[in-house]
Amino acid sequence: MLEQLQETKTNYYEEIKEKLLKSEIYDRVKDYEKNQNKVKVYFEIGKLLHDAGKEYGKNIIGEYSNRLTIEVGKKYNERNLRYMRKFYELFEGQIWNTLCSKLSWSHYREGLSLENINEIKYYLDECQSKNLTVRELQDIIKEIKETN
């Protein structure tokens, strides 16, 4: 039984690692659709992390991040994996065309730094409708955090 649990845990990890490695390769090869791919892959990874967390507990992200930062790259640290899981949990059930049409992963990541879900969705919608840059979104979020 313990061996089967360890194998399932490893399968989640291997699937996450495979998606990240494929994304890294894709990022280097094709620039035009790179962002849409990254948003999609990070959403899928968020789902895997969400599912693995339900099965193995919340500290599974820490365990995976330790391994991924060594095997894939430093940007897959615990904080970024938590953002991916939060991204999935926030946008679960969204239509993909809407989700990745205009915003980059950097936009989503900045938005996810807010605590309030309604604020996150509001400011990401504002980014899309007003074509805000990541820098403009960062300035807005900085103002919000300073006033709170």
Side-chain angles (χ1 to χ4, degrees), residues 13 16 20 49 59-82:
Y13 175 80
I16 290 168
L20 289 173
L49 291 168
N59 60 346
I60 194 70
I61 289 179
E63 181 182 323
Y64 286 173
S65 72
N66 289 336
R67 293 171 63 188
L68 289 168
T69 54
I70 292 167
E71 296 177 32
V72 182
K74 291 180 183 179
K75 64 184 173 182
Y76 301 110
N77 59 38
E78 188 170 344
R79 181 180 54 179
N80 286 331
L81 293 181
R82 289 189 189 287

Side-chain angles (χ1 to χ4, degrees), residues 7-142:
E7 184 177 320
T8 304
K9 188 174 167 183
T10 300
N11 288 343
Y12 278 119
Y13 175 80
E14 289 301 324
E15 190 172 348
I16 290 168
K17 179 181 167 185
E18 179 183 338
K19 285 181 179 295
L20 289 173
L21 288 172
K22 282 182 181 179
S23 181
E24 289 293 317
I25 292 166
Y26 187 88
D27 284 355
R28 292 183 183 131
V29 174
K30 196 166 185 179
D31 203 38
Y32 175 70
E33 295 175 353
K34 179 169 78 170
N35 177 62
Q36 288 181 339
N37 180 64
K38 185 174 281 191
V39 171
K40 182 177 185 242
V41 167
Y42 288 178
F43 182 84
E44 292 170 352
I45 289 168
K47 180 184 183 338
L48 289 167
L49 291 168
H50 173 82
D51 294 348
K54 282 199 286 189
E55 207 162 323
Y56 300 108
K58 293 188 187 254
N59 60 346
I60 194 70
I61 289 179
E63 181 182 323
Y64 286 173
S65 72
N66 289 336
R67 293 171 63 188
L68 289 168
T69 54
I70 292 167
E71 296 177 32
V72 182
K74 291 180 183 179
K75 64 184 173 182
Y76 301 110
N77 59 38
E78 188 170 344
R79 181 180 54 179
N80 286 331
L81 293 181
R82 289 189 189 287
Y83 278 128
M84 291 175 203
R85 184 186 63 197
K86 187 176 179 180
F87 179 58
Y88 167 76
E89 291 171 349
L90 187 61
F91 292 104
E92 182 180 9
Q94 291 277 332
I95 298 169
W96 266 115
N97 291 341
T98 310
L99 192 59
C100 25
S101 60
K102 292 183 183 176
L103 301 180
S104 68
W105 172 248
S106 297
H107 282 97
Y108 286 110
R109 188 167 162 336
E110 285 300 320
L112 292 169
S113 70
L114 295 167
E115 295 298 317
N116 184 299
I117 292 171
N118 294 326
E119 278 185 338
I120 294 169
K121 287 185 175 184
Y122 173 78
Y123 287 107
L124 290 175
D125 286 343
E126 286 288 294
C127 284
Q128 195 158 350
S129 65
K130 294 180 179 176
N131 203 25
L132 298 176
T133 66
V134 175
R135 182 57 141 171
E136 290 168 324
L137 178 58
Q138 286 172 336
D139 292 342
I140 291 169
I141 290 173
K142 184 178 178 183

